[in-house]
Amino acid sequence: MLWKFFLYGILGWLVEIVWTGMGSLLRGNWTLASHTYLWMLPVYGSAVFLEPIHNRIRRHPWISRGILWMGVILVIEYVSGWLIQQVIGVCPWDYSNNTNFSVNGFIRLDYAPAWFIAGLLFEHVHDYISKIKL
């Protein structure tokens, strides 16, 4: 399970780097500047604890699974941001000034469609990773 934790964490970092790099491109920054936070390794790594949820819901329609993942991921992002703020005094990602869809600076509701898709993609990653025997 520990290796899955780190694998999910590293995959999350990679996706975030691509996501923020594409955001740079859309803002006209041709350097494709990207970033993530070391704090995100355990946040993304916690996806290992979502595997049992996927196993229970895999037969449900994709739309209901996507909605569930969207909500779960938003809650995880909010709680993670809040906890990190409690520990170090600041949330590394502060959406307060980025959008009107921010909730306390911890989450962006306009990212909900991205989390819907990410959750459904997680299911495929989970199934693939589950075939790996270490």
Side-chain angles (χ1 to χ4, degrees), residues 3-129:
W3 70 271
K4 284 183 176 182
F5 178 87
F6 283 106
L7 183 58
Y8 282 125
I10 292 166
L11 287 172
W13 271 345
L14 293 174
V15 169
E16 186 166 354
I17 288 167
V18 170
W19 177 266
T20 58
M22 295 308 296
S24 291
L25 178 64
L26 293 173
R27 287 187 302 277
N29 181 348
W30 289 93
T31 65
L32 304 180
S34 302
H35 68 275
T36 188
Y37 309 98
L38 291 177
W39 289 104
M40 295 311 293
L41 179 73
V43 174
Y44 291 128
S46 68
V48 73
F49 301 112
L50 301 179
E51 290 180 345
I53 295 172
H54 177 223
N55 290 334
R56 291 195 69 176
I57 67 168
R58 70 173 59 243
R59 302 265 184 255
H60 290 99
W62 67 270
I63 191 90
S64 59
R65 295 192 328 265
I67 292 169
L68 174 71
W69 290 128
M70 180 179 62
V72 166
I73 293 169
L74 284 168
V75 167
I76 290 170
E77 185 179 26
Y78 187 94
V79 170
S80 298
W82 183 84
L83 284 172
I84 293 168
Q85 183 179 58
Q86 299 309 301
V87 171
I88 66 172
V90 65
C91 176
W93 62 93
D94 183 359
Y95 299 128
S96 298
N97 299 319
N98 296 26
T99 177
N100 292 330
F101 299 103
S102 169
V103 178
N104 300 329
F106 300 130
I107 59 173
R108 290 180 58 155
L109 297 177
D110 56 328
Y111 280 1
W115 294 134
F116 180 101
I117 294 166
L120 294 175
L121 291 174
F122 157 77
E123 294 179 341
H124 294 285
V125 172
H126 167 225
D127 288 340
Y128 181 79
I129 288 173

